[in-house]
Amino acid sequence: MSDRWDTRAWSVLFVLCGAIFLEGIDVAMLNVALPAIREDLGLSTGMLSGVVSAYVLGYGGFMLLGGRAADLLGRRRMFLLWLGVFLVFSGLGGFATEGWQLLTARFVTGIAAAFMAPAGLSLVTSNFPEGPQRNKALLVYAGTAAGGFSLGLVAGGLLTAIGWRWVFFAPVILSAVILLAAIPLIKDDAARERGRFDIAGSITATGAMLLLAYGVVRLEHPAEGLGWTIASFASGLVLLAAFVTIERRSAAPLVRLGILRSGPLVRANLGALLFVGSFAGFQFLVTLYLQELRGWSALQTGLAMLVIGIDTILAPTLTPKLVARFGNVRVIFAGLITSIAAYALFLPAGLDWAYTLMLPSMVLLGLAFSITYGPLTIAATDGIAEEERGLAGGLLYTSIQFGMALGISTVSAVNVAAGAGFDGFRTALIVPVAAAVAGAAITATGLTRRTPPVPVPAQI
């Protein structure tokens, strides 16, 4: 089979990339708009934090269920249905006049993303044959996802200047275009229902993920009661243990536990959790540093981080050649080492730092994303059976979402514990460095594993 893609292959990938770009840009734009939302709606700090946390709870809580639903009920069906739900509730968020309305809209939007994202990823793996074509597609897909986060900061600043409600209305327009294009382009895949749906497993898994995600979110606010945080984690772990017991006995488990015996899959998920967690924590700290300590505007902050978006260009051009020559594991390891250097270079930051001193960290982070995010996606899905690709995608996105929440919560807790202001910021900067080092150490355990060379994909 030729490695050259036809117009339809490009069109399908464009639609699927549009959906994952939508998910990334949606989160980034909201983060920039939070101060304007607070001022307009008069939200308390707790309610404002809840608006962000609600999305995390919906996304993290339902991701495993979403991934398995794509395998059992049909990937196209789940993708289109939940893209429509994402569209509706993003629009409802733009019409919100009370905090609880915004919180509800974000929670349901998070649930929609939890079903849509793994379905989209499994559609990429099923539409492109394993090997150079799929690797190329996944690197383009992952680069687009990462680009959504970086470009969303700039877009959020521009839209917030017009009015914060456009941060919600803009994704409605984009998702409507994607939905209209997806309906004729993405071929229907037969539903894969085999036996009973694992209701008990679904309930315990979702409950466990919700409680664990809530516990992670509460780490951001250590003064609000350690007891509830511990209770959330403890209850989540109890439900997780119950879930494992149910899955071992189930004839049609939500998650086949044997999939976790795959060393590459486990390393990829842990690597993704730590890599994304370190980046999310660093981005959160730099946003506070530039806006609250330096007095920069939201737009200036977004423009300062725009260079990280070079991964959108490098991921589909540079990374395939590196993966073909050195293999996934070595490229991922190099990316994590690059991210460690990026965070370490920011440790001496001062209140009078010029942007030229920050720029090396931003450039290195863009390079790190380029050569890490895509190969992690390939490693987490490579060699997985056709009927479990949605599950593999669900596991990966669960790791990514928990990593993001854990990274932000940990740096917030350290920042508060170390004292408000610049001293707290400097202390919290150690967290991204430590997370990236841990990710590199875990990835290094796979360096000795020999992998066959991958042919370089043809230009497409």
Side-chain angles (χ1 to χ4, degrees):
M1 179 182 290
S2 171
D3 287 336
R4 193 172 296 277
W5 297 348
D6 58 18
T7 302
R8 185 186 175 279
W10 268 114
S11 300
V12 169
L13 184 60
F14 180 78
V15 168
L16 296 173
C17 285
I20 200 65
F21 178 81
L22 169 69
E23 192 263 323
I25 201 172
D26 174 80
V27 173
M29 289 194 304
L30 178 65
N31 289 342
V32 174
L34 288 175
I37 295 173
R38 185 215 291 265
E39 183 178 355
D40 188 30
L41 299 185
L43 302 183
S44 66
T45 300
M47 179 59 77
L48 193 69
S49 175
V51 169
V52 178
S53 302
Y55 184 87
V56 174
L57 290 173
Y59 201 136
F62 287 83
M63 182 58 72
L64 283 178
L65 180 58
R68 197 59 181 142
D71 290 329
L72 297 176
L73 305 179
R75 294 157 188 168
R76 179 181 185 273
R77 182 185 304 171
M78 290 293 98
F79 180 79
L80 296 179
L81 171 63
W82 290 100
L83 178 58
V85 174
F86 190 99
L87 182 158
V88 170
F89 278 86
S90 184
L92 290 176
F95 289 111
T97 56
E98 301 286 342
W100 68 267
Q101 296 170 343
L102 201 55
L103 190 149
T104 302
R106 292 305 293 169
F107 180 68
V108 180
T109 303
I111 294 175
F115 282 84
M116 181 177 70
L121 177 59
S122 60
L123 281 168
V124 173
T125 61
S126 62
N127 273 272
F128 296 90
E130 191 166 357
Q133 286 196 43
R134 183 182 296 172
N135 289 348
K136 184 80 170 183
L138 286 173
L139 290 170
V140 173
Y141 186 77
T144 305
F149 286 105
S150 50
L151 296 177
L153 294 170
V154 180
L158 290 170
L159 291 173
T160 302
I162 301 171
W164 66 263
R165 295 183 188 277
W166 278 101
V167 168
F168 292 88
F169 294 147
V172 171
I173 299 171
L174 180 57
S175 54
V177 172
I178 295 168
L179 184 60
L180 290 174
I183 291 173
L185 276 174
I186 298 178
K187 289 185 177 180
D188 200 1
D189 56 341
R192 293 172 171 80
E193 294 185 69
R194 297 178 303 277
R196 294 182 300 114
F197 197 81
D198 185 9
I199 300 297
S202 300
I203 293 173
T204 51
T206 302
M209 294 299 103
L210 281 170
L211 286 166
L212 292 173
Y214 181 63
V216 168
V217 167
R218 284 190 61 86
L219 291 174
E220 295 181 40
H221 313 286
E224 293 183 6
L226 183 60
W228 281 108
T229 304
I230 294 174
S232 298
F233 279 121
S235 301
L237 291 173
V238 168
L239 278 181
L240 190 60
F243 168 71
V244 171
T245 301
I246 291 169
E247 297 307 277
R248 283 176 173 171
R249 299 175 179 175
S250 175
L254 178 70
V255 176
R256 184 181 64 82
L257 298 179
I259 197 173
L260 299 179
R261 296 193 188 103
S262 168
L265 181 143
V266 171
R267 277 195 300 273
N269 277 268
L270 290 175
L273 185 150
L274 291 163
F275 176 70
V276 174
S278 66
F279 174 76
F282 179 78
Q283 185 185 65
F284 178 79
L285 287 173
V286 172
T287 300
L288 293 181
Y289 166 72
L290 294 177
Q291 293 192 39
E292 295 189 359
L293 298 178
R294 300 289 299 272
W296 290 25
S297 68
L299 181 57
Q300 287 174 313
T301 300
L303 290 171
M305 297 191 200
L306 181 60
V307 68
I308 299 174
I310 61 172
D311 64 319
T312 309
I313 299 171
L314 295 180
T317 55
L318 171 66
T319 309
K321 297 175 182 177
L322 295 176
V323 169
R325 177 155 188 180
F326 301 107
N328 273 322
V329 179
R330 289 178 174 81
V331 174
I332 292 168
F333 182 73
L336 284 161
I337 294 298
T338 304
S339 69
I340 294 170
Y343 303 139
L345 285 174
F346 216 90
L347 289 175
L351 290 173
D352 57 349
W353 255 32
Y355 180 66
T356 51
L357 296 175
M358 308 176 206
L359 186 58
S361 290
M362 305 301 176
V363 172
L364 285 175
L365 272 180
L367 178 60
F369 246 107
S370 302
I371 62 177
T372 307
Y373 197 84
L376 281 170
T377 305
I378 295 173
T381 56
D382 197 27
I384 300 299
E386 170 75 21
E387 65 273 12
E388 290 187 321
R389 286 179 186 158
L391 171 60
L395 288 170
L396 176 65
Y397 285 119
T398 298
S399 298
I400 289 172
Q401 193 61 36
F402 268 87
M404 190 176 298
L406 190 60
I408 294 174
S409 297
T410 304
V411 297
S412 297
V414 173
N415 192 11
V416 171
F422 185 67
D423 289 340
F425 159 75
R426 287 284 296 272
T427 304
L429 276 176
I430 299 172
V431 174
V433 178
V437 168
I442 290 171
T443 302
T445 62
L447 286 175
T448 56
R449 180 176 178 269
R450 289 190 170 273
T451 54
V454 181
V456 178
Q459 293 298 314
I460 55 176

